[in-house]
Amino acid sequence: ILQKIVPCLVSKTKRERQTPRLPSHRQRNPASDEKWGFKYCASDLLESGIELQVGSSTQGYLLEISFKAGVVIIPQVRIYETTSSLLRNLIAYEQCSLSSMHSVTSYAFLLKSLIGSSRDINLLRTRNIIEQNIRMGDKEYLAQFESILDQVAMKDDYCFGDLFDQVNAYRM
């Protein structure tokens, strides 16, 4: 069942058959102490001159995240009260699967690295990267991500390694 859910997450709203363009995976040097994710949260990235922009409506996959000319382009994500549970289950599946590309786990690491406080949530909501949900405030959004990756060990392959290197090296 979970094998059918992951493509639905990756293919945001499109129902036609398309092959998702997943980011290239990068092997992490096991001897390094680098952390997965951006070195700075969303508000710190903005203060350092890096813009955050919602992807265009033609951008149909949640994992199509790019960095061009100082702008991180992220497709809009919908967060509900059940998002944390869904992501935890998909992460657990990926952690147990030998053939998994760890795309959902990588995506959760990316979101968690952007979200450090309710200020970051507010920033992502005002830029429409996180879709407005009238039932949830900034604190509820933050609660969805505070402990989502507790006890999760990231494998050595990671979807957004090159993206993080580009952003972390830009004006930092």
Side-chain angles (χ1 to χ4, degrees):
I1 293 175
L2 288 174
Q3 288 177 331
K4 293 181 181 183
I5 293 174
V6 172
C8 292
L9 269 180
V10 174
S11 133
K12 187 175 173 187
T13 56
K14 295 183 179 184
R15 293 290 179 220
E16 63 272 8
R17 291 200 174 258
Q18 292 182 353
T19 304
R21 292 171 284 177
L22 296 174
S24 59
H25 285 250
R26 185 185 81 182
Q27 294 291 321
R28 184 180 74 147
N29 178 355
S32 93
D33 62 349
E34 71 178 311
K35 79 170 199 155
W36 291 119
F38 296 115
K39 290 180 182 177
Y40 304 97
C41 62
S43 54
D44 290 342
L45 289 174
L46 189 63
E47 288 173 7
S48 72
I50 295 174
E51 287 292 321
L52 299 168
Q53 177 182 323
V54 68
S56 70
S57 60
T58 60
Q59 191 172 8
Y61 300 105
L62 286 175
L63 300 178
E64 270 188 51
I65 300 169
S66 61
F67 181 67
K68 297 176 187 162
V71 179
V72 179
I73 302 167
I74 306 171
Q76 187 179 58
V77 61
R78 295 179 181 124
I79 299 175
Y80 302 100
E81 294 83 357
T82 57
T83 299
S84 179
S85 297
L86 176 63
L87 285 175
R88 285 175 195 272
N89 284 315
L90 291 171
I91 289 167
Y93 170 75
E94 284 185 342
Q95 296 289 302
C96 294
S97 174
L98 296 176
S99 63
S100 173
M101 293 175 51
H102 306 289
S103 302
V104 175
T105 307
S106 297
Y107 185 73
F109 268 91
L110 180 136
L111 286 178
K112 173 109 173 146
S113 72
L114 283 175
I115 299 168
S117 69
S118 57
R119 179 177 170 212
D120 298 314
I121 293 286
N122 187 40
L123 174 70
L124 295 172
R125 285 175 61 182
T126 58
R127 295 185 183 273
N128 290 319
I129 293 168
I130 295 178
E131 183 181 74
Q132 298 289 337
N133 180 341
I134 59 172
R135 291 188 260 167
M136 294 177 69
D138 291 348
K139 289 181 182 178
E140 288 82 10
Y141 280 113
L142 186 59
Q144 291 280 320
F145 291 98
E146 279 184 323
S147 63
I148 195 167
L149 295 169
D150 288 355
Q151 308 301 317
V152 173
M154 186 62 203
K155 306 285 182 172
D156 288 335
D157 58 337
Y158 187 66
C159 285
F160 302 107
D162 292 337
L163 173 78
F164 290 151
D165 288 345
Q166 292 171 9
V167 173
N168 290 336
Y170 188 85
R171 289 192 194 168
M172 297 290 178

